[in-house]
Amino acid sequence: MKDIALVLSSGGPRGFAYIGAIEELESRGYRITSIAGTSIGSLIGGMYAAGKLHEVKEWLFSLNGWKVFGLMDISISRNHLVKGDKIIEALQEIVPDMNIEDLEIPYKAIATDLFTGEEVIFDKGDLFSAIRASISIPSLFRPVKMGMRTLIDGGIANTMPLNRVERSGHDLLVAFDVNDVDVDAIRQILRDEADNAAAKEKSELERKAESKAVLDSVMHNDTMSFLEKLRLAGMHGHKLIQNAMTREERPQRQFDPDANYYTLLSRTFDLMNHWNAALMTRIYPPDILVKMPFDAFGAIADYARAEEICEAGRKLMKEALDRYEN
């Protein structure tokens, strides 16, 4: 049995992939002896360290869109949209209150001091307070006040806390980063969108040219009466309007520069996490690194896709372990 020091990055609903990844590690005979996580990584990691990951998994799998919305305790505030209390309260119904120092394995959660920018490491004290601070995504969740500090999401200071997980000296360092960027895939999507837009524009121009030619032909036909010309022109115009009304709506672009503020802010945050995680993995190279592109999942609605995301994480971990073992 090989010991594992496991590090889990921030990354919103993509963090549900960690459940499948942990289960894959255990099924292959690996033993997780310490864990460090940021944001969603701190939540899933904390539930595992408390020995309650299976129960939390079953609860997450039961969530649909309405239940997810019900967990969003919307707040009319200048600096956040969601209080964030309902999520913690729901978890506390599954996992009893406990201190970090009483967990089954060493555990650390990362948050960020809003004013100093300092990394705040939770390795003792109340587990749920640490998790609540670590998941405080700026502008989405209410910041957490602790003494003199105001705490926000740990991804700001340390997206991938490879330097914080406890090591035994003979363990493997395993990291799961759900903030990867598949540059080639994105460029191909953008090229496809540009090609589709160009093809639609060409088709529209051809349709307008054809309509103009038909109307010109009718109006310059000296053998028709004026009333006949009006009738034919009216019929053609009616057909054009009907075609316009029944034409398929333009699909929403995946990468829209005019996206709403939440989409723009979310993508900006994901890009920041990507570069922070990439820097940490260069400074502290893990023995096994698992990556998931942040475009795979990320919308609020994806919190209702826990089972699908879990299985995606299991598959990615399996592939990474196959490469390592072979």
Side-chain angles (χ1 to χ4, degrees):
M1 183 175 289
K2 300 175 184 176
D3 290 347
I4 293 289
L6 183 62
V7 180
L8 305 174
S9 76
S10 58
R14 294 183 300 278
F16 296 154
Y18 303 147
I19 300 172
I22 288 171
E23 290 177 345
E24 181 65 22
L25 281 166
E26 291 186 327
S27 72
R28 303 271 285 251
Y30 293 91
R31 182 177 62 181
I32 300 171
T33 55
S34 62
I35 195 162
T38 296
S39 198
I40 189 66
S42 76
L43 191 156
I44 299 300
M47 297 302 95
Y48 176 78
K52 294 291 184 178
L53 186 59
H54 177 75
E55 291 83 352
V56 171
K57 175 182 112 170
E58 294 301 313
W59 172 68
L60 290 172
F61 283 10
S62 73
L63 296 180
N64 55 30
W66 284 110
K67 289 181 179 179
V68 169
F69 182 76
L71 290 170
M72 300 294 174
D73 39 1
I74 305 300
S75 173
I76 300 176
S77 170
R78 292 179 298 174
N79 66 5
H80 64 274
L81 296 176
V82 178
K83 293 179 182 178
D85 298 333
K86 282 189 176 181
I87 297 171
I88 297 299
E89 289 168 2
L91 288 170
Q92 286 174 320
E93 292 181 4
I94 305 169
V95 182
D97 287 333
M98 58 180 66
N99 289 325
I100 293 173
E101 55 267 36
D102 297 327
L103 296 175
E104 296 180 1
I105 61 172
Y107 162 85
K108 292 181 182 178
I110 308 300
T112 304
D113 187 303
L114 175 62
F115 299 113
T116 67
E118 292 174 296
E119 177 185 6
V120 178
I121 305 166
F122 289 92
D123 56 5
K124 60 180 179 295
D126 182 67
L127 172 63
F128 284 108
S129 295
I131 292 172
R132 176 61 186 84
S134 186
I135 66 172
S136 299
I137 301 172
S139 81
L140 180 59
F141 287 119
R142 180 180 60 196
V144 172
K145 294 186 180 297
M146 289 188 178
M148 298 289 290
R149 293 188 183 275
T150 298
L151 303 178
I152 57 174
D153 194 284
I156 305 298
N158 194 347
T159 302
M160 176 67 79
L162 288 158
N163 58 330
R164 301 306 181 194
V165 69
E166 290 193 18
R167 305 293 305 278
S168 65
H170 63 268
D171 52 16
L172 292 174
L173 181 59
V174 177
F176 201 144
D177 174 23
V178 294
N179 300 290
D180 194 30
V181 176
D182 190 337
V183 176
D184 291 337
I186 292 174
R187 286 176 176 166
Q188 185 58 53
I189 291 171
L190 293 173
R191 282 193 293 267
D192 290 344
E193 287 184 347
D195 290 345
N196 290 337
K200 287 182 180 179
E201 183 177 0
K202 181 181 178 182
S203 176
E204 183 69 13
L205 290 173
E206 290 175 348
R207 187 179 62 81
K208 289 180 179 179
E210 180 184 356
S211 299
K212 184 177 183 301
V214 171
L215 291 174
D216 287 346
S217 175
V218 170
M219 299 309 292
H220 292 90
N221 190 329
D222 295 333
T223 65
M224 292 183 183
S225 68
F226 180 70
L227 291 176
E228 184 68 13
K229 290 179 180 180
L230 286 179
R231 187 180 70 82
L232 291 174
M235 290 174 60
H236 188 69
H238 177 74
K239 182 179 179 182
L240 290 177
I241 293 172
Q242 188 178 36
N243 289 341
M245 294 294 289
T246 58
R247 194 164 59 242
E248 291 184 4
E249 293 184 3
R250 180 180 177 183
Q252 184 177 0
R253 296 180 60 191
Q254 182 164 356
F255 301 106
D256 189 350
D258 298 320
N260 62 53
Y261 94 93
Y262 174 76
T263 303
L264 182 62
L265 184 63
S266 177
R267 188 167 190 84
T268 302
F269 197 64
D270 286 337
L271 287 169
M272 179 200 71
N273 283 340
H274 163 68
W275 288 112
N276 286 347
L279 178 61
M280 286 300 292
T281 55
R282 284 197 293 268
I283 297 174
Y284 302 95
D287 298 296
I288 299 173
L289 176 61
V290 187
K291 293 184 178 183
M292 173 184 283
F294 70 66
D295 281 314
F297 305 94
I300 290 179
D302 289 338
Y303 283 100
R305 301 169 66 186
E307 187 168 3
E308 178 185 352
I309 300 172
C310 171
E311 290 308 310
R314 188 192 313 278
K315 181 175 181 292
L316 289 171
M317 180 59 77
K318 180 180 184 302
E319 293 170 351
L321 292 176
D322 287 345
R323 289 192 297 270
Y324 175 77
E325 292 173 357
N326 296 328

